[in-house]
C-alpha cells in the first residue's frame, strides 16, 4: 500500500514518505517483542507483566518503514464476567488488583472441563474430586506452598497455579475455542 503512494509521489516529484503502521492490542500479548523481532534490535521495553509499555514510541524497522509501539489497552467494562477471568488468567490484567484465588479457582474449573488430563499430569489430581479445597491442598503440598505449622497457604498456591499456566507448565491451553466464539 505504501509503495503505490510513494510511486505516485515520485511521479509528482515529491520525496517519499515513511510507511508507518501502529501495533495495538490487549496488554502483555507480545506487541513490543514482535516489534523488536522485526527491527532486529531491542528498542522497545518488554516484560512478562501487563503495562510494560507506558507511552507510544515510533520504531524504525528497515528503510522507510516504522512501527508505533503502543501501551496495551482493554475496553472499559467486561460485558461477561468470564471474559474478565480469562484476561486475568493469561496476565493481561495487573495481578495486584485481582483476587488471585478466584482466578486460580476459575482456571482449575476450566481445566477440569477442557483439559482434565493436563491437571492429572501436572498435579496428579483426582479429577472426580468435587471439593476444590482438596485440590488446593494437594497442589499446595506438592509445590511446597506451606505456611507456618505446615498448613497450605492458599494465596501462594493460587500464585503457583497461575504461574504454571502462564509458563506453559499446565500444557498448551487456549481459553477461547472456535466453536465458543
Ligand atoms: N512464549 C512466548 N512468549 C512471548 C512471545 N512474545 C512475547 N512473549 C513474552 O510475553 C511477555 C510480554 O511481552 P511484551 O512484548 O512486553 O508484551 P506487550 O504486548 O508489549 O505488553 P504491554 O506493553 O504490557 O501491553 C514477555 O515476557 C515476552 O517475553 C512469544 O511469541 N512466545
Ligand atoms: Mg509493550
Amino acid at each position: 500500500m505504501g509503495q503505490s503512494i510513494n510511486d505516485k509521489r515520485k511521479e509528482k516529484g515529491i520525496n517519499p514518505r515513511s510507511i508507518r503502521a501502529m501495533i495495538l492490542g490487549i496488554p502483555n500479548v507480545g506487541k513490543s517483542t514482535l516489534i523488536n523481532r522485526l527491527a532486529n534490535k531491542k528498542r522497545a521495553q518488554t516484560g512478562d507483566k501487563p503495562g510494560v509499555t507506558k507511552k507510544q514510541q515510533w520504531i524504525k524497522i528497515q528503510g522507510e518503514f516504522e512501527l508505533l509501539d503502543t501501551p496495551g489497552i482493554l475496553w472499559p467494562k467486561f460485558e461477561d464476567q468470564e471474559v474478565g477471568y480469562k484476561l486475568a488468567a493469561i496476565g493481561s490484567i495487573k495481578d495486584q488488583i485481582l483476587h488471585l484465588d478466584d482466578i486460580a479457582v476459575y482456571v482449575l474449573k476450566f481445566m477440569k472441563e477442557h483439559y482434565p488430563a493436563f491437571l492429572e499430569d501436572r498435579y496428579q489430581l483426582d479429577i472426580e474430586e468435587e471439593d476444590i479445597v482438596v485440590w488446593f491442598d494437594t497442589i499446595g503440598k506438592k509445590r511446597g506452598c506451606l505456611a507456618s505449622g505446615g498448613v497450605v497457604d492458599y494465596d501462594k498456591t493460587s500464585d503457583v497455579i497461575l504461574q504454571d499456566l502462564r509458563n506453559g507448565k499446565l500444557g498448551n491451553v487456549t481459553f477461547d475455542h472456535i466453536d465458543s466464539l
Side-chain angles (χ1 to χ4, degrees):
M1 286 165 76
Q3 193 61 52
S4 69
I5 291 171
N6 277 336
D7 288 348
K8 279 190 196 133
R9 289 171 73 90
K10 204 172 172 187
E11 279 169 25
K12 292 182 193 160
I14 311 171
N15 284 339
R17 202 165 55 180
S18 295
I19 299 166
R20 298 182 128 190
M22 174 193 246
I23 302 282
L24 54 88
I26 62 170
N28 201 26
V29 288
K31 299 180 292 299
S32 304
T33 306
L34 174 68
I35 294 174
N36 285 340
R37 184 67 69 90
L38 291 171
N40 244 332
K41 285 191 196 88
K42 195 176 174 337
R43 297 283 311 280
Q45 203 188 337
T46 62
D48 63 349
K49 57 183 186 189
V52 170
T53 303
K54 301 264 190 293
K55 56 179 170 37
Q56 299 184 1
Q57 180 188 9
W58 283 106
I59 293 169
K60 208 172 183 98
I61 301 301
Q62 55 172 323
E64 296 301 308
F65 183 37
E66 292 172 38
L67 288 177
L68 182 64
D69 192 16
T70 63
I73 43 169
L74 289 170
W75 50 111
K77 195 173 177 357
F78 304 131
E79 59 294 340
D80 174 356
Q81 199 185 17
E82 193 158 3
V83 171
Y85 278 123
K86 289 177 178 180
L87 288 167
I90 63 169
S92 281
I93 300 175
K94 282 192 167 65
D95 281 347
Q96 293 85 332
I97 61 166
L98 298 167
H99 293 292
L100 289 190
D101 46 355
D102 285 349
I103 314 299
V105 167
Y106 172 80
V107 168
L108 291 180
K109 287 185 173 166
F110 183 91
M111 301 272 308
K112 179 178 182 173
E113 196 179 334
H114 298 279
Y115 300 98
F118 287 3
L119 281 184
E120 288 171 317
D121 277 1
R122 178 71 181 166
Y123 302 127
Q124 288 79 50
L125 293 179
D126 170 10
I127 219 69
E128 301 305 325
E129 175 59 56
E130 297 286 329
D131 185 356
I132 199 120
V133 176
V134 173
W135 276 9
F136 265 75
D137 285 335
T138 308
I139 298 168
K141 280 183 197 143
K142 201 167 284 297
R143 299 297 311 277
C145 306
L146 301 177
S148 56
V151 292
V152 170
D153 180 328
Y154 294 123
D155 287 337
K156 262 191 214 162
T157 309
S158 302
D159 199 43
V160 157
I161 293 166
L162 292 177
Q163 292 318 317
D164 279 355
L165 171 77
R166 293 171 188 171
N167 292 329
K169 299 271 170 57
L170 293 181
N172 290 331
V173 173
T174 179
F175 281 97
D176 281 320
H177 293 268
I178 298 298
D179 56 4
S180 72
L181 293 177

